[in-house]
Amino acid sequence: MDLHESASIRDFRAEAREWLRAHVPAEPLPSLETGEGFAAHRKWEAELAAARWSVVSWPEEYGGRGVDIFHWLAFEEEYWAAGAPGRVSQNGINLLAPTLFDHATEEQRARVLPSMATGEVVWAQAWSEPEAGSDLASLKSRAVRTDGGWLLSGQKTWSSRAAFADRAFGIFRTDPEAPKPHQGLTYLMFDLRAPGVTVRPIGRLDGKPAFAELFLDRVFVPDADVIGEPGQGWRIAMSTTGNERGLMLRSPGRFLAAADRLVRLWHEQGDPGDTALRDRVADAVIGARAYELFTAAGAARFAGGATIGAESSLNKVFWSEFDIALHETALDLLGPDGELADGEWAEGHVFSLAGPIYAGTNEIQRDIIAERLLGLPKGRR
């Protein structure tokens, strides 16, 4: 694995750094889990897109710069090091878009991707269902054939961004008689403001509606919004989850930047005599660096033609648990006031607590690691 940057990446990194230095808001935007913050972050997405920084790895025809994964990683490092806002469009950009590139028609890509890149249309993920949890194949929401499309009925829950988003994507059971649970599923996109859709926000620990429940009552979806062939939803969904658990959702740049902030916090407020806390700060730096190197190795394999497979479960378990440890170290440094303040560490800590649950619980990921990577026998279920 060659860790030396090419001249192309150095120039790209310098251009991104200069633009970010000139455009990142001087004051943090309001939390994107509020109506005001969501609108402010949507405007930021439009500003990024106007300079073609919102989706750098996409082809130019859809608003990107057509760069490879190594340029994207360099951009991510510069983005988070600059203290730029969180990405309100991440569900669409990091999860739905790769799925569209792999499985959608050209008409769908031309219709959906440009408005996603600008933040004009923000997407919510509609996977989980009551009593299904991480067992995605047991979902019960249905799509029934009708003239020109499908009628969706059922309930989705823990739908990220749905409280304020415009559209959603998920899989639905279209053949209840299929012999196995993961068969007879279809991948669909739908409008969260269509007749028959009820969105009920779910508050986090801090009360902000980071998630929502979706109640669907015969919601019409045209055939044009089916991704891939009907009945092939499971195969397509697995490519989405691979991106979600892998590096796309949590690039190393955000952890490197957070570890740097933690070190600054230690120098400002740390007690030199508290060696236990000092060691936790050091562990955070080591962890961020290790994740960067692990990601670089994965990117090299990916660039060589490999696909995202069960290794993405390793990523998911690591970044979700590392995120919590990093934020808990910061809050211990800040003391009791840290949890009460409405600052980035407190907000980040609340968000990190959900990490071991969403994108497939860590218990499920450990099963995948044991069975598919280590070759261990299946456990009792």
Side-chain angles (χ1 to χ4, degrees):
M1 181 175 65
D2 184 3
L3 296 178
H4 294 92
E5 286 191 345
S6 66
S8 172
I9 292 179
R10 288 196 298 273
D11 292 345
F12 181 78
R13 183 189 288 278
E15 183 185 355
R17 185 181 301 163
E18 182 178 354
W19 188 89
L20 290 164
R21 185 183 296 122
H23 291 84
V24 168
E27 298 294 328
L29 300 181
S31 169
L32 61 80
E33 312 298 357
T34 65
E36 177 192 11
F38 200 91
H41 282 76
R42 195 195 289 263
K43 287 181 62 177
W44 169 247
E45 295 288 342
E47 188 171 351
L48 280 172
R52 293 193 303 119
W53 289 115
S54 69
V55 286
V56 295
S57 62
W58 289 13
E60 293 184 10
E61 62 189 291
Y62 302 124
R65 291 173 176 247
V67 298
D68 63 21
I69 192 171
F70 302 104
H71 287 74
W72 175 77
L73 287 168
F75 173 74
E76 285 284 301
E77 286 186 13
E78 295 300 327
Y79 186 89
W80 295 108
R87 302 296 301 274
V88 73
S89 291
Q90 69 174 19
N91 281 331
I93 291 172
N94 295 336
L95 304 180
L96 179 58
T99 306
L100 292 172
F101 283 123
D102 289 342
H103 302 283
T105 65
E106 183 53 46
E107 183 279 329
Q108 288 174 322
R109 287 192 283 268
R111 173 163 51 90
V112 173
L113 293 175
S115 59
M116 181 191 296
T118 62
E120 179 184 353
V121 175
V122 177
W123 291 80
Q125 186 183 26
W127 293 104
S128 298
E129 296 188 3
E131 301 179 11
S134 294
D135 186 10
L136 188 60
S138 67
L139 63 85
K140 297 177 180 175
S141 291
R142 297 181 58 181
V144 178
R145 204 77 178 89
T146 189
D147 289 343
W150 302 80
L151 293 175
L152 310 186
S153 296
Q155 181 183 351
K156 300 286 184 177
T157 191
W158 305 115
S159 184
S160 307
R161 305 280 180 270
F164 304 110
D166 306 292
R167 292 175 63 80
F169 56 94
I171 54 177
F172 292 81
R173 193 162 299 285
T174 48
D175 181 4
E177 305 303 322
K180 295 183 179 180
H182 61 276
Q183 296 177 345
L185 301 170
T186 298
Y187 202 123
L188 294 137
M189 302 179 283
F190 59 98
D191 191 338
L192 287 172
R193 298 184 179 86
V197 177
T198 299
V199 179
R200 190 159 70 187
I202 301 174
R204 291 189 314 200
L205 287 175
D206 59 5
K208 295 170 183 170
F211 309 95
E213 292 177 290
L214 306 178
F215 298 89
L216 309 171
D217 182 11
R218 295 173 60 81
V219 178
F220 177 73
V221 175
D223 285 325
D225 281 346
V226 175
I227 301 176
E229 295 296 322
Q232 298 299 310
W234 183 259
R235 180 176 62 84
I236 300 169
M238 289 304 98
S239 67
T240 303
T241 58
N243 284 300
E244 183 178 36
R245 296 164 187 166
L247 61 90
M248 301 305 286
L249 188 60
R250 290 290 177 269
S251 68
R254 63 189 303 153
F255 292 122
L256 291 168
D260 285 345
R261 288 194 289 114
L262 183 63
V263 170
R264 289 198 296 274
L265 186 65
W266 167 258
H267 286 302
E268 292 167 1
Q269 302 190 29
D271 175 3
D274 190 343
T275 55
L277 193 52
R278 181 200 61 194
D279 289 349
R280 289 169 61 193
V281 173
D283 286 343
V285 175
I286 294 169
R289 180 66 174 156
Y291 186 55
E292 178 192 27
L293 295 175
F294 182 79
T295 302
R301 291 195 300 273
F302 190 67
T307 57
I308 299 176
E311 291 83 358
S312 63
S313 294
L314 292 171
N315 273 49
K316 201 275 175 173
V317 171
F318 181 85
W319 61 247
S320 58
E321 295 184 350
F322 178 65
D323 204 18
I324 293 175
L326 192 152
H327 283 85
E328 286 182 343
T329 302
L331 292 183
D332 286 344
L333 257 170
L334 290 167
D337 291 345
E339 293 191 48
L340 299 176
D342 193 19
E344 57 185 344
W345 287 117
E347 172 111 4
H349 179 244
V350 171
F351 184 79
S352 73
L353 295 176
I357 303 172
Y358 66 77
T361 64
N362 283 8
E363 287 79 5
I364 294 291
Q365 304 314 309
R366 287 191 166 92
D367 278 348
I368 293 173
I369 293 167
E371 295 169 8
R372 301 183 192 175
L373 296 181
L374 301 179
L376 298 177
K378 288 189 175 183
R380 182 179 299 174
R381 293 190 172 90

